[in-house]
Every structure is written in C-alpha cells, then in structure tokens.
C-alpha cells in the first residue's frame, strides 16, 4: 500500500478543526508559512491531491507562487497557540518563522517542520482565482468576500507524506 493511502485521520478534522500550516520557500531561500482552515484532499487528474485557498493579500501567497512545491503541515493540540499566531501575524511585519519556535528543514525544495505530526509535500499543478460570477450560492459573496478579495485555489499533487 502506498504511504499516501495510510491517512488515518478525518480530513474535515485535520483541516477544519486542527488547522494546518501552508508553507513554501521562495527563490531566495526564505521560508514563510500561514495557518489555514480551508482546503481539502481527494483524487483529480488520476493523482492524489490537496487543494488550498489563499487570499491575494496574504504574504505567504508570494512564496507559494514562486515555489514548485509547498507543504501542508499538521500538529497536535499542544501547538494550537502557535497556529493562532501564524494565522494572525504577517511575515511582512516580523520574522514569525523565528518566533514560532518551529524547526524548519528542507525536503527537495519544500519546508518541513520537525514538530509536525503529519506533513504533506505538494507539487503545484493548478492555480485559479475564484470569480464572483461563478458563485451559485451568492450569500457566500457577502459573507466571505465583502472586500472582493477572492481566494486563489491551488491544486497540488501530494508527492510525499512525512
């Protein structure tokens, strides 16, 4: 059995309840990460994939855009405070990677956190911007996008589970 077939936890719990760090390293070698609770996993184009949503103003978006790979990292409950910090503070404003207390290593160009209980190394395959005219349920526009800052969705092949 492929190691990627061995995911034991609910994707709904991992992403929606426990949250994840989306991390990437830019061309200069600097790493940044952000907390996310929107995304999913499944099968698309014959591959095991993850998909995540990033708003245009997020500093981490530039890192994900520059990198061929990014990681989705999951942590046990003892890291909830750190995940809150990583979601509220921008890497533009301070060196949140240093202040996070996380140990970062590199896995084939993708950042991996030693403290993570699960890391998915993802190779980007697609990026697209959500568009107002494509919303069927228009109530989501008012609720989630009052500033019209529609997320980009990234679909990536899960190439390794650590």
């Amino acid at each position: 059995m492929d190691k990627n077939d061995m995911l034991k936890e609910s994707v709904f719990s991992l992403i929606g309840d426990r949250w994840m760090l989306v991390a990437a390293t830019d061309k200069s070698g600097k790493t940044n990460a952000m907390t996310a609770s929107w995304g999913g996993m499944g099968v698309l184009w014959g591959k095991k994939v993850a998909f995540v949503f990033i708003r245009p103003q997020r500093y981490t978006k530039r890192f994900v855009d520059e990198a061929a790979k990014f990681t989705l990292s999951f942590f046990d409950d003892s890291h909830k405070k750190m995940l809150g910090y990583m979601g509220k503070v921008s890497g533009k404003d301070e060196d949140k990677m240093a202040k996070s207390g996380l140990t970062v290593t590199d896995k084939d160009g993708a950042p991996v956190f030693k403290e993570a209980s699960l890391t998915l190394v993802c190779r980007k395959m697609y990026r697209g911007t959500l568009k107002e005219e494509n919303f069927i349920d228009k109530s989501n526009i008012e609720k989630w996008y009052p500033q019209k800052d529609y997320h980009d969705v990234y679909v990536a092949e899960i190439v390794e589970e650590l």
Side-chain angles (χ1 to χ4, degrees), residues 16-153:
D17 299 330
R18 289 182 46 197
W19 309 336
M20 62 185 166
L21 277 187
V22 178
T25 302
D26 70 9
K27 292 176 183 173
S28 75
K30 183 177 178 183
T31 297
N32 201 61
M34 63 175 241
T35 301
S37 62
W38 286 15
M41 295 177 216
V43 177
L44 183 64
W45 304 315
K47 299 180 184 304
K48 295 170 189 125
V49 299
F51 54 94
V52 296
F53 297 83
I54 304 177
R55 287 192 194 267
Q57 64 267 40
R58 294 300 299 258
Y59 184 59
T60 303
K61 184 179 182 319
R62 177 182 68 81
F63 290 77
V64 173
D65 285 342
E66 284 187 18
K69 295 178 184 175
F70 61 86
T71 55
L72 303 178
S73 298
F74 302 89
F75 299 83
D76 65 34
D77 290 339
S78 69
H79 292 89
K80 198 71 165 186
K81 184 176 179 182
M82 174 275 298
L83 288 165
Y85 167 76
M86 296 296 280
K88 290 181 182 105
V89 174
S90 174
K92 272 191 276 191
D93 300 329
E94 61 184 66
D95 187 356
K96 71 180 187 177
M97 295 304 299
K99 291 185 178 183
S100 71
L102 295 172
T103 307
V104 184
T105 60
D106 178 82
K107 176 70 174 173
D108 301 323
V112 175
F113 301 101
K114 178 182 168 193
E115 297 80 4
S117 57
L118 170 65
T119 299
L120 302 176
V121 179
C122 301
R123 182 185 62 81
K124 289 187 314 189
M125 296 170 51
Y126 176 85
R127 183 191 85 219
T129 303
L130 299 180
K131 296 180 180 180
E132 185 171 341
E133 61 268 19
N134 292 339
F135 278 82
I136 296 165
D137 181 347
K138 302 295 185 190
S139 69
N140 283 314
I141 297 168
E142 184 178 321
K143 180 175 183 179
W144 300 105
Y145 300 103
Q147 297 177 324
K148 307 294 186 195
D149 56 342
Y150 299 103
H151 287 89
D152 274 2
V153 59

